């Protein structure tokens, strides 16, 4: 009846996962209880869970990423603590648990922290920057988010029911084949990523269509903000690369479930085919993560320097060059696997070439700051910290693009340090810059500046203390994924790295305190103008938070930095503005389709992992029925009356004019 699922699947004999899952369960129950007791459940269902508003979905993506960051960082703390203690001994994590920890850490941080964070920021900001009312496919947008949440849920269920993969964050065969991983850990990995991968692909299609086909009047491609360009490049990569991941994992599922031999050398398959396919997705994935961060830094640096972005067109060219070149470097991930000197040389050169457009971006950011009236507020601090850190990570990447160097450093902690140098210094710092920068637009009040700066310095110093020692350890010969070791010279460096992880934990604690304090002091931090940073692009032209319809009138753009031009014209006209004629606006109707689909996807995923075939059938029928009901819906739009549109817009205009008049008087 329940397939392979028995009471033995619950790790009663392992205190760490039981205590962790108990704490998480209590936190979830307490939150749900508070929501029900306070009567917030109808509001949550109506305004958030069933929402198809791109802004709410963007906020939910970001919230999912921040929650999963806590989960993924707890794994990182356990790894650093384990390695600092495990000289000539086993430490406190048994080998099978340690293997699950490092596999879960990589999987969660890439797929359920970095990806949702960036997709959330793109979802929230891009339609506003394009001057439009929503994304191309609002309900599909909701489906994409909830499928991503399903994947995250399945990964966390593995903490307490069964186990997670012990194969690393990429499940290389033959280790991931049934003969060597007979448990359900690899199945949890495969089904969670298959489901969330579909959600990511849906998001990519949606955002590509939005940027290419839905822009306000006058918003030509070369008038789009830089973040819209990096969004376009990122989602083109998603549309091209994620089907490769889905197909590759599907082949591994067929190997495990139906006895196929796609990746079994002795049965006619080819293990190296998995390596080629997974890295044909995997290296573009690095740029899928970092390109949105580049767009965020472009917006932040331009705004806080009080200048247009230097070399805008060269930035566009560099972005699209990275988009293309990212598909031409995947083989540098297996220089040591015998492809031959000619092939290694070609891919080594391609890897060095891709550093050129990235360098163009860094110089353009520096030239944007040069001569500007720079304001060193928290979003800009994250951007400056990124430039210094990412340059170091990029240089070590170019170093490892040399095949002989890769032979020496392959699979060492030097590689781990490089990867984190790029992902933390690039992606996470970019995510935090964007989160701080657009938070007042999303919620109507700023984040506390003091705690934000404290969090930044803890993260920056903690990163260097945590990961610079790993470069040294890699050069000393320490390989990654070691549960214990017998070389005394390594231990001091590992202890320093553990101290760095503790500093990063302080940074996360400051971010939590910052959010709590900001909510409590929201009246003092309130943004009345919709433009708290003196911004340059159209998201700052509307209220904070924006109304459901975004703009009472779709703006007409005549050049780059559209909102900056609007403000200049408004100052010159000094109140001689004609009264507009307001009209009713149609917006997409909320739909539970995404949430219901995710529910049935969770049921199906869990059932497939544990071979509960009747439950698979129930989940499939439910998902199909959901799509049928959605396809036959009668009404898919709501109407906001003209007087409501007028009330919101007039209030915003009055506040903006009052602020402008006060500033002019000063």
């Amino acid at each position: 009846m329940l397939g392979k699922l028995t009471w033995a699947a619950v790790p009663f004999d392992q205190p760490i996962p039981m205590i962790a899952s108990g704490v998480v369960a209590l936190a979830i129950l307490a939150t749900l209880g508070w929501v029900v007791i306070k009567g917030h459940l109808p509001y949550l269902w109506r305004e958030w869970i069933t929402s198809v508003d791109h802004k709410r979905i963007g906020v939910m993506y970001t919230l999912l990423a921040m929650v999963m960051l806590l989960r993924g960082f707890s794994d990182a703390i356990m790894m650093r603590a384990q390695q600092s203690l495990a000289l000539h001994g086993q430490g406190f994590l048994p080998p099978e648990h340690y293997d699950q920890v490092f596999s879960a850490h990589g999987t969660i941080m890439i797929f359920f922290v970095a990806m949702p964070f960036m997709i959330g920021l793109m979802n929230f900001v891009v339609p506003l920057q394009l001057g439009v009312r929503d994304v191309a496919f609002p309900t599909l947008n909701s489906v994409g988010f909830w499928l991503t949440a399903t994947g995250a849920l399945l990964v966390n269920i593995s903490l307490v029911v069964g186990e997670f993969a012990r194969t690393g964050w990429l499940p290389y065969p033959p280790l991931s084949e049934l003969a060597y991983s007979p448990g359900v850990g690899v199945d949890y990995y495969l089904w969670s990523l298959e489901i969330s991968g579909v959600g990511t692909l849906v998001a990519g299609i949606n955002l590509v269509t939005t940027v290419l086909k839905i822009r306000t009047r006058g918003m030509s491609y070369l008038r789009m903000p830089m973040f819209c360009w990096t969004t376009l490049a990122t989602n083109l990569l998603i549309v091209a690369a994620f089907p490769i991941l889905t197909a590759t994992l599907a082949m591994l599922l067929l190997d495990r479930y139906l006895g196929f031999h796609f990746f079994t050398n002795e049965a006619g398959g080819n293990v190296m085919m998995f390596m080629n396919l997974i890295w044909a997705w995997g290296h573009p994935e690095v740029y899928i993560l970092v390109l949105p961060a580049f767009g965020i830094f472009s917006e932040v640096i331009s705004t806080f320097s009080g200048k247009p972005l230097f070399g805008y067109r060269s930035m566009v060219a560099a972005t699209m060059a990275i988009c293309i070149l990212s598909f031409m470097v995947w083989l540098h991930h297996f220089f040591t696997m015998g492809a031959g000197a000619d092939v290694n040389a070609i891919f080594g050169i391609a890897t060095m070439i891709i550093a050129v457009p990235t360098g163009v971006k860094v110089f353009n950011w520096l030239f944007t700051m040069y001569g500007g009236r720079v304001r060193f507020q928290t979003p800009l601090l994250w951007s400056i910290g990124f430039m210094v850190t990412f340059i170091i990570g990029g240089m070590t990447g170019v170093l490892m693009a040399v095949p002989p160097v890769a032979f020496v450093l392959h699979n060492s902690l030097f590689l781990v340090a490089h990867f984190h140098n790029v992902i933390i210094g690039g992606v996470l710092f970019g995510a935090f810059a964007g989160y701080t920068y657009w938070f007042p637009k999303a919620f109507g009040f700023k984040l506390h500046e003091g705690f934000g700066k404290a969090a930044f310095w803890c993260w920056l110093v903690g990163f260097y203390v945590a990961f610079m020692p790993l470069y040294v350890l890699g050069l000393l010969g320490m390989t990654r994924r070691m549960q214990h070791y017998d070389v005394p010279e390594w231990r001091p460096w590992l202890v320093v790295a553990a101290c760095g992880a503790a500093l990063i934990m302080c940074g996360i604690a400051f971010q939590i305190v910052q959010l709590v304090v900001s909510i409590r002091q929201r009246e003092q931090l309130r943004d009345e103008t919709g433009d708290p940073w003196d911004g340059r692009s159209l998201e700052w032209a509307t209220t904070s938070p924006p109304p459901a319809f975004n703009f009472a009138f779709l703006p007409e753009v005549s050049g780059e930095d559209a909102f900056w031009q609007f403000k200049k014209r408004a100052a010159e006209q000094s109140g001689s503005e004609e009264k507009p004629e307001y009209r009713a606006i149609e917006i997409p109707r909320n739909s539970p389709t995404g949430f219901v689909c995710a529910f049935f996807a969770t049921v199906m995923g869990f059932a497939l992992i544990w071979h509960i075939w009747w439950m698979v059938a129930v989940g499939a029928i439910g998902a199909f029925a959901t799509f049928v009901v959605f396809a036959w819906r009668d009404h898919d739009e709501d109407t906001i009356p003209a007087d409501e549109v007028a009330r919101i817009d007039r209030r915003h205009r009055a506040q903006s004019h009052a602020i402008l008049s006060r500033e002019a008087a000063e």
Side-chain angles (χ1 to χ4, degrees):
M1 179 95 179
L2 294 179
K4 298 194 296 184
L5 183 60
T6 65
W7 282 110
V10 181
F12 292 112
D13 59 332
Q14 297 182 32
I16 293 176
M18 291 304 295
I19 293 170
S21 56
V23 170
V24 170
L26 286 173
I28 292 171
L29 289 173
T31 304
L32 288 175
W34 179 81
V35 166
V36 172
I37 291 168
K38 292 288 186 179
H40 296 319
L41 194 57
Y43 167 79
L44 280 178
W45 175 261
R46 184 180 64 253
E47 298 294 333
W48 291 92
I49 294 173
T50 62
S51 177
V52 297
D53 184 342
H54 71 94
K55 300 179 289 296
R56 302 246 161 142
I57 291 172
V59 170
M60 289 192 291
Y61 264 117
T62 306
L63 180 61
L64 172 67
M66 295 174 78
V67 170
M68 294 302 288
L69 175 63
L70 298 177
R71 165 75 167 86
F73 184 74
S74 66
D75 290 335
I77 283 287
M78 284 195 288
M79 285 189 289
R80 293 275 71 87
Q82 165 70 19
Q83 288 192 325
S84 65
L85 296 173
L87 175 65
H88 302 310
Q90 292 297 313
F92 66 95
L93 289 175
E96 65 277 3
H97 190 187
Y98 182 77
D99 293 348
Q100 292 180 59
V101 166
F102 69 66
S103 301
H105 171 73
T107 305
I108 287 168
M109 287 300 198
I110 295 296
F111 292 102
F112 301 114
V113 176
M115 288 292 295
F117 220 139
M118 289 305 171
I119 292 174
L121 292 173
M122 290 187 286
N123 247 297
F124 181 86
V125 174
V126 166
L128 292 168
Q129 288 195 334
L130 294 175
V132 298
R133 295 206 163 100
D134 213 318
V135 291
F137 310 113
T139 304
L140 205 61
N141 201 22
S142 172
V143 172
F145 165 71
W146 286 108
L147 289 179
T148 302
T150 291
L153 178 61
L154 287 174
V155 170
N156 283 292
I157 288 174
S158 72
L159 181 70
V160 67
V161 182
E163 61 181 5
F164 194 66
R166 304 176 191 174
T167 53
W169 79 279
L170 290 178
Y172 289 161
L175 181 58
S176 58
E177 297 281 7
L178 203 57
Y180 300 98
S181 294
V184 295
V186 174
D187 300 324
Y188 265 113
Y189 176 97
L190 293 173
W191 286 114
S192 65
L193 293 198
E194 287 285 60
I195 293 168
S196 64
V198 171
T200 301
L201 181 59
V202 162
I205 293 168
N206 200 358
L207 286 164
V208 165
T209 309
T210 301
V211 175
L212 292 181
K213 303 300 289 184
I214 307 178
R215 300 187 304 279
T216 194
R217 290 167 295 177
M219 181 70 79
S220 63
Y221 288 125
L222 288 176
R223 290 175 180 172
M224 293 194 306
M226 202 61 228
F227 187 59
C228 295
W229 270 107
T230 58
T231 295
L232 176 61
T234 295
N235 289 282
L236 286 171
L237 287 174
I238 287 175
V239 171
F242 263 79
I244 302 174
L245 175 69
T246 303
T248 307
L249 299 185
M251 285 189 277
L252 187 53
L253 281 166
L254 289 170
D255 278 11
R256 289 181 61 84
Y257 278 70
L258 296 177
F260 282 45
H261 296 290
F262 285 110
F263 307 125
T264 312
N265 284 343
E266 57 271 21
N270 189 341
V271 169
M272 278 305 298
M273 182 168 70
F274 183 91
M275 310 303 173
N276 268 289
L277 289 171
I278 206 71
W279 284 112
W281 159 82
H283 203 83
E285 167 67 7
V286 174
Y287 294 98
I288 287 169
L289 297 177
V290 84
L291 277 173
F294 288 170
I296 292 166
F297 295 129
S298 298
E299 303 296 326
V300 167
I301 289 170
S302 176
T303 296
F304 288 97
S305 300
K307 286 175 59 183
L309 185 65
F310 182 90
Y312 170 81
R313 294 189 177 218
S314 66
M315 292 287 266
V316 171
T319 297
M320 300 316 291
I322 290 171
C323 182
I324 294 166
L325 290 170
S326 66
F327 269 104
M328 300 181 182
V329 298
W330 81 91
L331 197 134
H332 69 216
H333 289 276
F334 37 100
F335 274 155
T336 62
M337 294 186 184
D342 292 341
V343 173
N344 283 357
I346 290 168
F347 280 87
I349 292 167
T351 305
M352 296 176 196
I353 289 171
I354 203 171
V356 174
T358 307
V360 168
K361 287 177 173 288
V362 172
F363 281 112
N364 282 352
W365 291 321
L366 292 172
F367 286 135
T368 302
M369 294 177 67
Y370 179 75
R373 298 180 63 184
V374 180
R375 292 170 285 150
F376 290 98
Q377 291 179 275
T378 307
L380 187 66
L381 292 181
W382 287 113
S383 304
I384 296 171
F386 147 77
M387 281 192 279
V388 176
T389 307
F390 192 81
I391 287 169
I392 295 171
M395 288 191 298
T396 58
V398 172
L399 175 65
M400 287 190 295
V402 181
V405 176
F407 268 78
V408 175
L409 298 174
H410 179 71
N411 213 35
S412 73
L413 284 184
F414 192 96
L415 176 66
V416 174
H418 158 71
F419 183 74
H420 285 80
N421 211 156
V422 172
I423 296 299
I424 293 179
V427 181
L428 265 186
F429 282 17
F432 294 149
Y435 160 72
T436 311
Y437 182 57
W438 285 306
F439 187 93
K441 177 53 60 179
F443 297 104
F445 59 94
K446 289 183 179 182
L447 288 168
H448 191 280
E449 188 74 8
F451 285 113
K453 288 180 176 177
F456 163 74
W457 285 111
C458 285
W459 265 98
L460 185 70
V461 176
F463 167 79
Y464 281 97
V465 175
F467 289 99
M468 292 302 116
L470 301 194
Y471 282 119
V472 179
L473 286 163
L475 293 171
L476 290 175
M478 184 174 182
T479 56
R480 56 184 174 172
R481 301 169 182 155
M482 294 186 71
Q483 187 261 348
H484 64 278
Y485 53 94
D486 297 314
V487 183
E489 291 80 10
W490 293 350
R491 189 174 190 180
W493 297 103
L494 289 166
V495 171
V496 172
C499 294
L503 270 175
I504 293 175
M505 184 166 64
C506 293
I508 293 174
F510 275 125
Q511 286 173 307
I512 295 170
V513 172
Q514 178 195 34
L515 184 59
V516 172
V517 170
S518 301
I519 292 171
R520 289 185 173 180
Q521 297 181 3
R522 58 187 176 275
E523 291 308 320
Q524 298 98 296
L525 298 167
R526 181 73 62 191
D527 167 34
E528 298 289 351
T529 66
D531 181 24
W533 309 117
D534 196 15
R536 309 183 72 85
S537 45
L538 286 177
E539 73 268 31
W540 307 110
T542 186
T543 59
S544 297
F549 51 83
N550 288 353
F551 300 93
F553 302 94
L554 296 184
E556 188 165 356
V557 174
S558 58
E560 297 171 28
D561 288 344
F563 184 50
W564 190 260
Q565 293 186 358
F566 290 167
K567 288 192 288 188
K568 284 173 62 179
R569 284 202 297 270
E572 291 165 3
Q573 291 169 0
S574 64
S576 60
E577 187 179 346
E578 60 183 34
K579 292 185 178 180
E581 181 183 344
Y582 294 95
R583 295 180 181 176
I585 296 174
E586 290 184 337
I587 62 171
R589 176 169 290 182
N590 285 356
S591 171
T593 302
F595 182 77
V596 175
C597 283
F599 172 78
F600 287 118
T602 305
V603 170
M604 281 186 67
F606 187 80
L608 284 163
I609 290 163
W610 291 100
H611 297 191
I612 310 172
W613 304 119
W614 64 267
M615 192 182 289
V616 174
V618 168
I621 293 168
F624 179 75
T626 304
F627 282 112
V628 170
V629 170
F630 174 70
W632 285 89
R633 70 199 186 283
D634 292 327
H635 302 288
D636 59 353
E637 290 185 330
D638 287 327
T639 301
I640 298 177
D643 57 350
E644 177 67 9
V645 175
R647 184 188 66 78
I648 294 171
D649 189 57
R650 284 171 181 156
R651 180 172 177 270
H652 174 56
R653 286 169 182 260
Q655 288 174 335
S656 298
H657 284 313
I659 296 293
L660 283 172
S661 301
R662 189 162 64 244
E663 288 177 352
E666 291 172 357

